[in-house]
């Protein structure tokens, strides 16, 4: 009974949102849009944003994600790859 009420509420909310937005897709505001210059270079942009958010495949991240035992750089053998 509770889940039926929950789904009815959710359906009502979705219909209200679609009526309010005119069935348009979500568009981010100007301050949420990525840098156009960077976004146009797809592969480079992906790496840039991975670096910016700290989720790129560096030794430090792989050690944190428990994919490697140490954070040692595989290019220059420095103690941490960042």
């Amino acid at each position: 009974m509770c889940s039926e009420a929950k789904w009815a509420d959710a359906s009502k909310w979705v219909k209200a949102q679609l009526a309010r937005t005119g069935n348009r897709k979500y568009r981010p505001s100007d301050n949420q849009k990525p840098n156009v210059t960077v976004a146009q270079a797809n592969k480079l942009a992906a790496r840039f944003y991975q670096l910016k958010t700290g989720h790129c495949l560096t030794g430090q991240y792989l050690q944190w994600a428990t994919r490697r035992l140490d954070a040692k750089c595989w290019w220059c053998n420095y103690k941490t790859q960042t």
Side-chain angles (χ1 to χ4, degrees):
M1 186 70 155
C2 186
S3 65
E4 289 174 10
K6 179 181 119 178
W7 281 108
D9 255 0
S11 178
K12 184 179 173 183
W13 181 84
V14 167
K15 287 177 185 173
Q17 296 304 312
L18 289 174
R20 183 177 65 83
T21 61
N23 210 8
R24 304 178 295 207
K25 290 185 178 182
Y26 170 75
R27 297 182 201 278
S29 66
D30 287 337
N31 62 350
Q32 291 178 323
K33 292 182 181 175
N35 184 330
V36 176
T37 306
V38 175
Q40 287 174 347
N42 292 333
K43 290 183 182 182
L44 183 60
R47 293 290 180 235
F48 172 78
Y49 286 113
Q50 285 175 352
L51 285 165
K52 190 173 180 178
T53 60
H55 289 87
C56 57
L57 294 177
T58 61
Q60 194 173 17
Y61 175 75
L62 292 172
Q63 182 185 20
W64 174 83
T66 65
R67 300 290 187 246
R68 291 191 63 180
L69 297 176
D70 60 357
K72 189 175 176 183
C73 178
W74 54 78
W75 300 106
C76 65
N77 291 325
Y78 189 69
K79 64 181 177 179
T80 58
Q81 181 185 26
T82 58

